Amino acid sequence: MAKRSVSILTRLLTNPSSPFTAPTRSITYMPRPGDGAPRTVTLIPGDGIGPLVTGAVEQVFEAMHAPVHFERYEVRGHMRKVPEEVMESVKRNKVCLKGGLATPVGGGVSSLNMQLRKELDIFASLVNCINVPGLVTRHENVDIVVIRENTEGEYAGLEHEVVPGVVESLKVITKYCSERIARYAFEHAYLNNRKKVTAVHKANIMKLADGLFLESCREVAKAYPGITYNEIIVDNCCMQLVAKPEQFDVMVTPNLYGNLIANTAAGIAGGTGVMPGGNVGAEHAIFEQGASAGNVGNDKIVEQKKANPMALLLSSAMMLKHLQFPTFADRLEIAVKQVIQEGKWRTKDLGGDCTTQEVVDAVIKALD
Amino acid sequence: MSRRSLTLLENLANSRTQTRSVTYMPRPGDGAPRAVTLIPGDGIGPLVTNAVEQVMEAMHAPIYFEKYDVQGEMSRVPAEVMESIRKNKVCLKGGLKTPVGGGVSSLNVQLRKELDLFASLVNCFNLPGLPTRHENVDIVVIRENTEGEYAGLEHEVVPGVVESLKVITKFCSERIAKYAFEYAYLNNRKKVTAVHKANIMKLADGLFLESCREVAKKYPGITYNEIIVDNCCMQLVAKPEQFDVMVTPNLYGNLVANTAAGIAGGTGVMPGGNVGADHAVFEQGASAGNVGKDSIVRKNKANPVALLLSSAMMLRHLQFPSFADRLETAVKRVISEGKCRTKDLGGQSTTQEVVDAVIAKLE
């Protein structure tokens, strides 16, 4: 452990040009007895590109000798329910890493991604959309955290056919859920030194539903006087996102708007292939690729093994921070960002032509 | 009239954007003036509608406006205004401000429901001379306007729990799909994309998709595909050139239209209209409820381009294509020259200066 710290320090001192080797955190890592004890994490490879990218994470963790060991479970998107043993495992380990689970379009099976979130009461979905140095995008200065309510709202799945040809779908908003997502957002902003929280809504049309959401946000905002709070209507927000994304910092949204805003923000910052994200509940956390959890890629990418593992690697770095292994998280993030910045090993969505395995090898080499 | 046609032909020869080859054959009674209801609206509304009035006068367009004052805080659109629209069948309006929170329901939505304006159309395209981060954008977003999430049916079940209903019907989905395909067919568009979230809202958006698929079978010359709305948002900002005509339910259409307008230059320049079976209301493209900020109103710096282009759409709708072409050519010239631009396009002009520039560019 001391030898690894020395090599990190050497690299910090000899690479002054790289903008992210100058850490902004000033915590000294004081190991305590038992800190390095390995933690168990449930791993769900998923469908499509899922096994590819989770395989990538496993390889990198092995190379890093991270104190994490995975319990792997096979879950397919077209199963009716998440198997019992998987739920047991997640409840026991409290942390899970998963690839995407394909949700069949149309009637029939309900989404397993949603089921997992509901059963474990994972109410907050977090996507950090940030310009990665070295990855040229049309928008600069993007650094947005989208915090989205995960359990209710439009995705409650409550629909019925009133008469043939007329379908009603219920959108439920409760004070309880709105309050806790608002509290989560402000607490996140507070602990991560963020200056502004923006609530995204459509309360001019859906007055009661989004009005309730807004009231909860306003109440919580009063408890955090150091953080600026403002509100924006969702259609204006979409336009501002593509016109001037630098005005947004932390955004808190209900379920549907959050899905679209997270995807738009991920798109302007480099694509869903590189944005980390996670789903957090009071007791459990599930880490998966940032914005499009249901996106399992198309068959061509699976065949050619050209899926982008960056998003899941960065999400697993978030997971390491969550598990209180900050050194490993930093090493992993620095390695991944270095690989992106060098630009030699990029998959197709970033403009290159590499396979997943090549990117993984590059990341492993960039670790010390 | 022939002198105008001659200068028009010169314009046609000079302008790069002319794709239509229709010969304008006037018939007796074609130039008869039409009455159009004008609703200035709130905020920047009066500014921009005034701009349109000035330009129409300068063009001697065969239109005269019946002006009615409607404010956003009214609880209903006044009966005389509705009468007037029903009589004239065409309306031009600025934005009507919708108060946030409980109380008054949106007058924009009321108008659309009463006149059954089921299709909202926004044409988002790159204007020559206006640099944006995205090139090759030419998207028409056709959005179902009457049902879906904006039905306004909400109630508080118990204190602290609110339910909001989203209603999708086969009738409305079919007619918006038919409108979209017919529009694509008549305007020589190659592809129609349906935007949905049917993996989560299986019955509701599933019904919408089925209707689109049925209608698609009747138009074999037009490519049809479907895209999930979150992926669509990302594709819009990454590769917007893949989209041509997009047909969407109400909420997704609102967001997709605003995003597309944003990438193509902003809601200040995108034309749009709401069309029903019998009536049509033209307003600025994507953000109908956007009435601008007070500082823009005070300094008179609102962007009139969107409403001018929408009124050009209105002129086409009223079968005055030559006037529509003149107006569009003038507006596009002003934008491409870049000397007179309002703040959202990066300049410092007031509304009046832009209007004067447009009038100067008309022949």
Side-chain angles (χ1 to χ4, degrees):
Chain A
M1 179 87 162
K3 188 164 61 147
R4 285 191 219 142
S5 313
V6 165
S7 45
I8 288 187
L9 282 173
T10 337
R11 208 163 44 143
L12 286 176
L13 293 171
T14 51
N15 279 7
S17 58
S18 185
F20 32 74
T21 53
T24 49
R25 213 178 313 125
S26 58
I27 302 174
T28 322
Y29 302 144
M30 301 279 290
R32 293 168 300 181
D35 263 359
R39 288 286 304 265
T40 323
V41 169
T42 311
L43 179 70
I44 299 179
D47 296 318
I49 58 171
L52 261 182
V53 291
T54 47
V57 172
E58 284 181 299
Q59 290 183 37
V60 174
F61 272 37
E62 278 242 22
M64 266 206 307
H65 305 290
V68 171
H69 75 262
F70 290 109
E71 282 182 4
R72 205 196 255 238
Y73 289 98
E74 288 293 325
V75 179
R76 298 253 162 261
H78 45 86
M79 293 181 178
R80 320 203 102 265
K81 279 180 60 61
V82 180
E84 268 306 311
E85 44 173 12
V86 183
M87 297 302 296
E88 281 294 303
S89 161
V90 179
K91 284 186 179 133
R92 189 185 47 221
N93 297 332
K94 301 213 183 296
V95 176
C96 168
L97 184 70
K98 69 185 258 286
L101 290 168
T103 313
V105 171
V109 186
S110 74
S111 164
L112 289 184
N113 296 317
M114 288 293 302
Q115 258 191 39
L116 261 179
R117 290 177 195 146
K118 279 201 185 146
E119 282 209 36
L120 302 170
D121 199 23
I122 296 190
F123 60 86
S125 164
L126 215 136
V127 183
N128 186 7
C129 306
I130 181 169
N131 269 130
V132 185
L135 191 60
V136 175
T137 54
R138 294 180 178 105
H139 299 82
E140 308 286 309
N141 280 330
V142 178
D143 188 3
I144 303 175
V145 176
V146 182
I147 296 181
R148 155 197 177 194
E149 212 287 330
N150 227 351
T151 51
E152 55 170 20
E154 297 83 350
Y155 291 177
L158 304 159
E159 313 179 278
H160 66 122
E161 192 164 23
V162 182
V163 294
V166 178
V167 171
E168 272 183 4
S169 172
L170 277 176
K171 160 181 168 167
V172 181
I173 301 268
T174 58
K175 189 167 169 58
Y176 175 64
C177 292
S178 307
E179 240 182 38
R180 70 179 176 173
I181 192 68
R183 259 187 247 134
Y184 182 86
F186 276 93
E187 195 69 18
H188 179 91
Y190 176 63
L191 292 175
N192 286 284
N193 198 18
R194 295 270 181 176
K195 307 285 184 302
K196 189 158 84 162
V197 173
T198 309
V200 178
H201 66 96
K202 188 79 182 173
N204 50 349
I205 304 284
M206 291 190 257
K207 297 171 185 304
L208 294 186
D210 287 349
L212 182 58
F213 179 77
L214 277 188
E215 275 175 36
S216 317
C217 290
R218 286 178 194 149
E219 272 186 50
V220 175
K222 292 194 199 122
Y224 292 84
I227 297 178
T228 321
Y229 167 73
N230 63 353
E231 302 164 357
I232 188 169
I233 298 185
V234 63
D235 52 7
N236 190 19
C237 174
C238 283
M239 211 208 78
Q240 299 292 335
L241 257 181
V242 294
K244 284 197 307 176
E246 52 267 9
Q247 59 180 303
F248 294 113
D249 194 357
V250 175
M251 304 172 78
V252 58
T253 86
N255 210 334
L256 177 74
Y257 312 143
N259 193 3
L260 306 191
I261 302 252
N263 276 276
T264 310
I268 62 177
T272 49
V274 287
M275 296 299 134
N279 302 285
V280 175
E283 292 164 10
H284 311 277
I286 298 186
F287 293 90
E288 51 191 358
Q289 104 177 0
S292 263
N295 181 9
V296 291
N298 49 34
D299 296 331
K300 207 168 35 145
I301 303 185
V302 179
E303 260 162 32
Q304 299 172 333
K305 298 198 184 315
K306 284 189 175 182
N308 197 346
M310 300 292 190
L312 205 63
L313 284 169
L314 289 173
S315 298
S316 51
M318 280 174 84
M319 179 181 78
L320 287 168
K321 286 201 187 98
H322 179 82
L323 291 170
Q324 316 261 335
F325 297 133
T327 22
F328 295 96
D330 283 344
R331 287 171 63 198
L332 179 52
E333 271 188 16
I334 291 177
V336 169
K337 288 181 179 171
Q338 219 176 302
V339 169
I340 295 181
Q341 193 190 30
E342 279 173 7
K344 283 192 303 216
W345 305 102
R346 288 189 184 176
T347 47
K348 190 147 177 279
D349 58 331
L350 298 180
D353 209 22
C354 300
T355 63
T356 310
Q357 192 54 46
E358 289 172 4
V359 177
V360 170
D361 294 335
V363 171
I364 292 179
K365 216 180 325 169
L367 296 167
D368 323 332
Chain B
M1 177 81 161
S2 60
R3 190 167 52 147
R4 283 191 221 144
S5 310
L6 204 53
T7 42
L8 183 60
L9 283 172
E10 278 173 4
N11 275 348
L12 288 180
N14 294 339
S15 110
R16 304 172 270 144
T17 53
Q18 182 59 25
T19 47
R20 212 179 312 127
S21 60
V22 170
T23 321
Y24 302 143
M25 302 279 288
R27 293 166 302 180
D30 263 359
R34 288 285 305 265
V36 169
T37 311
L38 180 70
I39 299 179
D42 296 319
I44 60 170
L47 261 183
V48 293
T49 46
N50 187 22
V52 172
E53 283 181 297
Q54 289 184 36
V55 173
M56 291 288 176
E57 276 237 27
M59 266 205 309
H60 305 291
I63 295 205
Y64 65 91
F65 290 109
E66 288 178 9
K67 210 194 265 222
Y68 288 97
D69 247 326
V70 179
Q71 306 298 320
E73 295 94 42
M74 293 181 179
S75 59
R76 289 180 54 73
V77 180
E80 45 172 11
V81 182
M82 299 302 297
E83 275 298 316
S84 158
I85 300 182
R86 289 207 172 97
K87 178 174 56 107
N88 297 332
K89 301 211 183 301
V90 176
C91 169
L92 184 70
K93 69 184 259 287
L96 287 171
K97 188 165 148 65
T98 314
V100 171
V104 185
S105 74
S106 164
L107 290 184
N108 296 317
V109 177
Q110 255 191 41
L111 259 180
R112 291 175 197 148
K113 279 204 184 140
E114 287 208 25
L115 302 170
D116 201 23
L117 301 172
F118 61 88
S120 164
L121 213 139
V122 182
N123 188 6
C124 307
F125 54 94
N126 272 130
L127 286 163
L130 190 62
T132 53
R133 294 179 178 106
H134 300 81
E135 307 287 309
N136 280 330
V137 178
D138 189 3
I139 302 174
V140 176
V141 182
I142 296 181
R143 155 196 177 195
E144 212 287 329
N145 227 351
T146 51
E147 55 170 19
E149 296 82 350
Y150 291 176
L153 303 159
E154 312 179 280
H155 67 121
E156 193 165 24
V157 182
V158 293
V161 178
V162 172
E163 272 182 5
S164 172
L165 278 174
K166 159 182 169 166
V167 181
I168 302 268
T169 58
K170 190 165 169 56
F171 175 66
C172 292
S173 307
E174 240 182 39
R175 71 180 176 174
I176 192 67
K178 271 193 219 133
Y179 182 86
F181 276 93
E182 195 68 16
Y183 180 88
Y185 176 63
L186 292 175
N187 286 283
N188 199 18
R189 296 270 180 173
K190 304 284 184 302
K191 189 158 83 159
V192 172
T193 309
V195 179
H196 67 98
K197 188 81 182 171
N199 50 348
I200 304 283
M201 291 190 259
K202 298 172 186 303
L203 294 185
D205 287 348
L207 181 58
F208 179 77
L209 277 188
E210 274 174 35
S211 318
C212 290
R213 285 176 194 151
E214 273 184 48
V215 176
K217 291 191 200 126
K218 303 204 193 93
Y219 293 84
I222 297 180
T223 320
Y224 167 72
N225 64 350
E226 302 165 356
I227 187 169
I228 299 186
V229 63
D230 52 9
N231 190 18
C232 172
C233 283
M234 211 208 77
Q235 298 293 335
L236 258 181
V237 295
K239 282 198 308 175
E241 52 269 9
Q242 58 179 307
F243 294 113
D244 194 357
V245 174
M246 304 172 82
V247 59
T248 84
N250 210 333
L251 177 75
Y252 312 143
N254 194 2
L255 306 192
V256 168
N258 275 277
T259 310
I263 62 177
T267 48
V269 290
M270 296 299 133
N274 301 284
V275 174
D278 298 325
H279 310 278
V281 173
F282 293 90
E283 51 191 357
Q284 103 178 1
S287 263
N290 183 9
V291 292
K293 301 189 296 231
D294 293 333
S295 64
I296 303 184
V297 179
R298 268 206 315 263
K299 298 191 214 163
N300 290 341
K301 282 189 176 184
N303 197 347
V305 175
L307 205 63
L308 285 170
L309 289 174
S310 297
S311 52
M313 278 173 87
M314 179 183 76
L315 288 168
R316 287 220 178 83
H317 180 82
L318 292 168
Q319 315 261 338
F320 297 132
S322 39
F323 294 95
D325 282 343
R326 287 169 64 197
L327 179 51
E328 271 187 7
T329 315
V331 170
K332 286 181 180 168
R333 278 234 200 105
V334 170
I335 294 182
S336 78
E337 276 181 7
K339 283 188 300 211
C340 270
R341 288 190 184 174
T342 48
K343 189 145 178 273
D344 57 332
L345 298 180
Q348 276 295 322
S349 312
T350 63
T351 311
Q352 193 53 45
E353 288 173 9
V354 178
V355 170
D356 293 336
V358 171
I359 293 180
K361 286 264 174 298
L362 293 168
E363 262 62 38

